[in-house]
Amino acid sequence: MTINTILIVLLVLAGVWTVMTARLLRSVIGLAVTSVLLTIIMFRLDSPLAAVFELSVCAGLISAIFISSIGLTQRLTDEQAATKQKERLTRLWFLPVLLVLVGIVMTQLQIPLDFIKQTAPSENDVRIIMWNLRHLDMLGQIVILLAGAFGVVSLFKD
């Protein structure tokens, strides 16, 4: 296994743990761990600007906002947390199964995980790099922000 494969597996496991845990603080910690792993992957793929944005905004700022919001809410009793965990497991039972199926399909397809690195232009302007060379990084940032928004909606849905 390459380091990229190990990082991607850890990223997916941290994301699943973030969604499946019943306690909000553990979910925030899981989100921060997921974000840090994604930052490492972005650095390894020679995308330092996107990695810095990911680390500062998602792992830092968003986690701090969530923790402060959790501090303003009322803590669940152990009985309420157990009930909530059972409800969440009945709603999300398919997630680990889907994860295993996707993993099996990816191993059977043998998709190469060694991505081609693009070279930056001679001009080191952030605007040129982000909008002209790093389209996939921008798309990734948009997907991450939308996933975070949907995650917040699903966490505070009750």
Side-chain angles (χ1 to χ4, degrees):
M1 286 182 109
T2 65
I3 188 84
N4 288 342
T5 307
I6 294 169
L7 286 171
I8 290 173
V9 168
L10 289 174
L11 176 77
V12 171
L13 291 175
V16 169
W17 180 66
T18 300
V19 173
M20 298 298 284
T21 187
R23 298 281 185 189
L24 289 178
L25 189 58
R26 291 180 186 164
S27 289
V28 171
I29 293 169
L31 179 64
V33 168
T34 304
S35 192
V36 167
L37 287 169
L38 184 60
T39 299
I40 294 169
I41 291 170
M42 287 180 181
F43 270 120
R44 289 192 47 77
L45 294 176
D46 260 355
S47 181
L49 292 173
V52 167
F53 290 138
E54 175 69 25
L55 188 62
S56 63
V57 174
C58 295
L61 179 65
I62 299 299
S63 298
I65 291 171
F66 282 165
I67 289 172
S68 65
S69 298
I70 290 169
L72 297 174
T73 61
Q74 208 174 31
R75 184 174 169 89
L76 295 176
T77 64
D78 289 336
E79 189 176 293
Q80 290 172 331
T83 304
K84 192 170 188 122
Q85 179 70 15
K86 287 179 186 176
E87 291 173 1
R88 181 171 285 155
L89 288 176
T90 56
R91 276 194 332 245
L92 301 174
W93 65 270
F94 64 91
L95 192 60
V97 175
L98 181 67
L99 179 66
V100 169
L101 289 175
V102 167
I104 290 171
V105 168
M106 286 184 69
T107 56
Q108 296 302 317
L109 292 177
Q110 297 178 351
I111 299 171
L113 294 177
D114 294 330
F115 301 106
I116 299 171
K117 298 178 182 177
Q118 294 181 356
T119 58
S122 60
E123 210 174 318
N124 286 332
D125 188 11
V126 174
R127 294 170 295 189
I128 293 172
I129 293 172
M130 292 303 288
W131 293 108
N132 295 340
L133 287 179
R134 300 293 188 177
H135 294 105
L136 289 178
D137 293 340
M138 293 304 290
L139 179 65
Q141 287 291 322
I142 292 168
V143 168
I144 290 167
L145 288 172
L146 289 175
F150 290 132
V152 169
V153 167
S154 68
L155 282 175
F156 295 112
K157 189 176 183 181
D158 302 334

